[in-house]
Amino acid sequence: MLAVRPRSRLEAEVFELWKELNPAGAYLEGVEECVGRIFEGSTSQIQTLLERIGVLKMRARGRLVKKMLDSFEIALQYEEPMNAPSALLGALFGYLVKEGVKEDHLEPLLESGIRSFANARARMASKSWPLTLRILTTLACRGLVGALEVVKREAKRERLKELCSRVRQEAEEYLRALKAPELKEGTYEEVMGLLAQGDAGMGRAHIYEPWLRKALDYAEDPRRLAEKAKGWIRSELPALRRVMRRLARIYGCEPSLEEVSRAMARADGLRGSALIEKTKELRTLLQPYIDRYVVRVPRSYNAEVMETPPYLASMLPTAAAFGVDSLTQRPRQLYLVTTDERFSPMASLADLINVYVHEEMGHDLHFARSAVGYGRRPRLLERISTTFAGPISEGLSFQREMEFLWALKDTLRKARRSRVEENLLAYLERNGGLRRRLLELEFVTRKWRLIRFLRVVGDANINSDMMTLPEFLEWAERETGIDRKTVYYQLFPAHQLNGPGYATSYAVIGQEIAAIERRLRRSRRKLVRLATYGCSLGYPPRSLYRRRLREFARALLAQESGA
C-alpha cells in the first residue's frame, strides 16, 4: 500500500509513465507490481513512450509536471552504450541492498536484463562510439559481472546460477559488438594508456547543454559552470592549505592532500569491526548534536547501521546510505559501513565523522524527512527517483558537511555550552585531542569541497569538448597540486557512468544552499529550521527546490525583522 497518492488524473498518468520508464526504481521505492523488471527499451517501446509524453506535455500546466516530462523525454532520446549494463547493475545492487539474494525476484530481473541487452545491442552496434564511452561500457560490464559472481555464489537455485552465466555471456557479446576495448584491471594507468593512443574526447558536446537543462534543470551553460567552479577553487584553496600545513607539522609529513590523509589513517588505524563499533559510538554523540544545532532528526528516524554484507563489499568499497520503500507506510533507511580491507574502508576518525555526516545525516535523513515532511509534505512526483533526485540529495549532503563544521565553530566560540555540546567536545579531547581533531575535521571537509569543485570544472570541460580528460587532469594537478590519479578516480569512471552533468551536482546545488543559508548565519535556531525544511522537500527539479528554500528563508528573515 502506497502512503502517498496522486493529486490529479494527470499526476497519476505521469506516475504510471515513470513506473514503465523505471520499474526497478519503482520496486525499490515500494511499488510491488514492478518487481523483477528493468526498462528493456525496445525501439517500439521507446517510440510509444515518446508519443505518450508528447500527449501529456500538451495537457501539462504546472512547472513540476512539465519539467518531469522534459526529463523523461531527453532520457529516452539520448542513449549511451553503457546505459544497458549500468541499469542492470544498479537494479541488481538495489535488490541486494533491499532484500539480499531473493531468487523469486532476481530470476525475472535477470531475464528482463537479457532482453534489455538484446534491444540495446540492436540499436548501439551500428553506431560509432567514442573510445571514452566504450571504455566506460567495458567498466560498467566489469562491474555487472562482479555483481553476478556474487549472486551466483549466494544462489541456492540452479536456475538463478544459469541466468547469471547467461547475462555474463550477453555482456561479453555486447562488448564485442561495440568493439569496446578489453581492460585487465581497469586502472588509471591502463585507461590513460588507451586514451594516449586515440581520440580522448567524450563525444557529448551536442547533448551536454540540453541534458543539463532538461535532465538536471540547470540554467548555466558549460562555460559558466566551469568559471563558477574555478572561483570556488580559488576561494577554497587558501583555507585548505593553511589547515593542511598545520596538520603536516603535527604529523611530521609533507603538506599534501595524500600525505596528510595517510598520516591521519596511520595515527588512528581503525580497522575491521572497530569501524562499526566506532561508528555506533560516534552516533550516540553526533546525532543529538546534529539534531539540536544542524538539522532536526524526526523522532521516528531509525536508520539501520550495519557492516556491508560480503556480497556488496566489492560494489561498496567505503560506506553508503540507502533508502528503500520510500512510497510506503514503512520507509527504511540503511547505513552500510565496509570493513573488508581488500577494498577502501575508512581508517581515520575524521573520515568516519565526515562520511557519517554526509551519508546518514545527509542522504538518509533527506530520505526520512521527505517521508514525514516539515511544514509541507512533498507531492508524489517529488518523492520518486528521477534524474533530479540524485543531484538534489548530493547537493544537500555536500552542504551538510559545511553546516556541521559551522556548528562546531559556533560551539567553540560559546562561553556557556549545553551538555550535548560538552559531551561531543569532551569525546574529541579524550580521543586524540580537541585541537588536532578539529583541524582534521576541517581538513577532511575542505578536501572534499575542493574535489567536488574540481568535478564541476572537469565535467563541464570534458563533456563540452573544451578539454579532453588527460588535458583536464594536467590542469587540475597544476592548479591545485592534487595528483592526476586522485582527480581521475573522482571524475571519470563512476561519475561519468552516472551520465553527463551528475558530477557537478554536489557543488552546484550545495553552493546554492550555502548562499541561501548565509543570510541566516546569525541565528543558529533559524539555520536549523531552514536546513530541516530543505531536507523535507523530496526531490523536485532544482529550480523549484531553490525557489521553495529561498521563500522559506525570506519568511524566517521577516520574523527576525518583525515584518
Side-chain angles (χ1 to χ4, degrees), residues 40-106:
E40 296 174 12
S42 69
T43 301
S44 61
Q45 182 186 21
I46 290 171
Q47 186 57 43
T48 299
L49 289 170
L50 285 170
E51 289 170 3
R52 283 174 59 190
I53 290 169
V55 171
L56 290 171
K57 286 178 80 171
M58 287 189 287
R59 291 167 49 202
R61 293 294 177 266
R63 292 176 65 191
L64 174 63
V65 170
K66 287 180 179 179
K67 288 182 178 294
M68 200 74 70
L69 291 171
D70 276 346
S71 73
F72 294 168
E73 185 176 57
I74 198 166
L76 286 171
Q77 290 171 334
Y78 180 62
E79 292 182 283
E80 291 185 327
M82 60 276 198
N83 291 7
S86 291
L88 184 53
L89 173 59
L92 204 53
F93 182 57
Y95 274 53
L96 292 174
V97 168
K98 178 172 177 170
E99 58 196 17
V101 177
K102 197 167 184 177
E103 277 95 341
D104 287 346
H105 293 173
L106 290 178

Side-chain angles (χ1 to χ4, degrees), residues 24 41 98 152 174 328 477:
K98 178 172 177 170
K152 198 171 182 178
Y174 186 67
T328 72
E477 185 177 58

Side-chain angles (χ1 to χ4, degrees), residues 66 74 103 108 123 144 172 310 393 477 504:
K66 287 180 179 179
I74 198 166
E103 277 95 341
R123 282 194 306 279
L144 176 60
E172 291 168 352
S393 201
E477 185 177 58
T504 70

Side-chain angles (χ1 to χ4, degrees), residues 117-160:
F117 263 119
N119 289 331
R121 187 169 66 246
R123 282 194 306 279
M124 300 289 169
S126 61
K127 299 178 182 178
S128 177
W129 296 101
L131 177 59
T132 47
L133 297 192
R134 287 183 284 129
I135 288 171
L136 288 174
T137 306
T138 300
L139 292 172
C141 285
R142 284 173 63 89
L144 176 60
V145 167
L148 291 168
E149 288 173 353
V150 166
V151 173
K152 198 171 182 178
R153 280 199 306 271
E154 299 288 322
K156 301 291 189 294
R157 291 184 190 169
E158 288 304 315
R159 173 65 177 157
L160 181 55

